[in-house]
Amino acid sequence: MPFQLTVDDGIEEARRRLRELPRRPVHPALRVEDHHIDGPAGPIPLRVYWPDGVAAGSLPVTMYFHGGGFAVGDLDTHDGTAREHAVAASTLVVSVDYRLAPEHPYPAAVDDVWAATRWVAGNAERFGADATRLAVAGDSAGGTLAAVVAQLARDNGGPRIAFQLLWYPSTMWDTSLPSFTENAQAPVLDNAAIAAFTRWYAGHLDLSDPPAALAPGRAPDLSGLPPTYIAVAGHDPLRDDGARYAELLAAADVTVELHNADTLVHGYLGYAGVVPAATEATDRGLAALRAALHA
């Protein structure tokens, strides 16, 4: 693998290495705009993507939260992924540049994505979109944040979330799950990186009993959540996090589909269009998003 998440050389070097990864152009002709909204601690940057060929006013909306261990990543590192979601699912995509640890530990990221989701739900018409068809999506840490936002929306009387697409999320905050042992030294993301990101993001908390806004799988009640697609990878320490969350959702009578790309590694969205198995797994999740938003 050409990339390994590591914080051995400090946070700025980790961010630089992710930013400078080679990336292929993805749907370069899309209409894209950058915006800022008022957040709980200052402006929150948003990047909005319009798919082609969908009439204004009939576009569903997908909030996208990027991955990176709550500490690395930004609008640019996940620009191609956001474009793929917009085109494949025929949805307006709003990508959120939330605050990062260690400068801004938990709950800063949660506060930002929740504020952004509520703002977009209340202002979708200015982008020609329909807020009654609103999804949340994210990869890795972003998948965790998407799951948290779905719970917050349920618990706070809206906005109504129609679907959640969770790419290899962390949900349980439980390193006793078998995949942490089986994939302790996995490519891209290993246990050492997870431990470092955990210290930066949540080291100030008692992780023996984490809150649901950190570990959504620990919520006492998972009923009433939106239909869910969870994608995991076989060679990923977080594989069983996503699988366990799917089990818990199903037990709470939530419609959920789990897909384990058993030959792939964490972060495989970045290899869609290059590695055939990653392309297939990505297309499968995006097809689920499209079906949910255009039912």
Side-chain angles (χ1 to χ4, degrees):
M1 301 299 295
F3 180 73
Q4 187 76 24
L5 277 166
T6 176
V7 299
D8 290 348
D9 297 316
I11 186 58
E12 290 304 328
E13 176 63 14
R15 290 170 180 165
R16 184 195 67 78
R17 290 180 67 247
L18 183 59
R19 283 196 304 267
E20 294 182 0
L21 268 179
R23 292 175 173 85
R24 65 186 181 93
V26 179
H27 304 298
L30 284 190
R31 176 188 171 192
V32 179
E33 292 179 1
D34 286 344
H35 294 266
H36 289 78
I37 64 168
D38 291 335
I44 303 172
L46 307 177
R47 185 168 293 170
V48 184
Y49 302 79
W50 283 261
D52 294 327
V54 183
S58 63
L59 273 173
V61 186
T62 299
M63 303 298 299
Y64 193 83
F65 312 131
H66 70 79
F70 307 98
V72 303
D74 55 34
L75 297 179
D76 293 333
T77 61
H78 286 67
D79 181 75
T81 296
R83 290 171 185 265
E84 287 182 321
H85 281 64
V87 170
S90 293
T91 176
L92 186 89
V93 170
V94 182
S95 185
V96 182
D97 202 12
Y98 56 86
R99 287 172 290 162
L100 299 176
E103 298 92 337
H104 305 285
Y106 171 90
V110 172
D111 291 345
D112 285 358
V113 297
W114 176 229
T117 301
R118 286 179 293 161
W119 186 89
V120 170
N123 292 273
E125 71 284 349
R126 71 171 62 187
F127 302 115
D130 175 12
T132 66
R133 291 181 292 153
L134 173 64
V136 291
D139 63 289
S140 192
T144 305
L145 293 170
V148 169
V149 166
Q151 292 187 11
L152 289 172
R154 178 201 61 179
D155 296 342
N156 289 275
R160 178 183 174 274
I161 307 297
F163 192 73
Q164 53 179 340
L165 173 56
L166 313 179
W167 301 101
Y168 31 84
S170 170
T171 61
M172 304 306 302
W173 236 262
D174 179 6
T175 57
S176 72
L177 293 168
S179 57
F180 282 92
T181 300
E182 295 173 21
N183 299 312
Q185 297 181 333
V188 179
L189 180 69
D190 60 19
N191 285 3
I194 291 172
F197 290 135
T198 297
R199 287 193 301 272
W200 282 346
Y201 182 57
H204 56 297
L205 300 178
D206 176 7
L207 295 180
S208 66
D209 186 24
L214 179 70
R218 303 291 189 101
D221 179 14
L222 295 175
S223 63
L225 290 171
T228 305
Y229 185 99
I230 301 177
V232 298
H235 300 280
D236 182 355
L238 298 181
R239 180 196 67 210
D240 294 343
D241 258 70
R244 179 63 179 145
Y245 195 47
E247 292 174 356
L248 293 169
L249 290 173
D253 293 325
V254 174
T255 300
V256 59
E257 180 178 355
L258 173 70
H259 180 249
N260 179 17
D262 58 2
T263 67
L264 294 178
V265 298
H266 191 83
Y268 68 69
L269 284 178
Y271 300 99
V274 178
V275 176
T279 304
E280 180 183 1
T282 301
D283 289 348
R284 180 170 175 153
L286 294 178
L289 177 62
R290 181 187 181 98
L293 291 177
H294 295 275

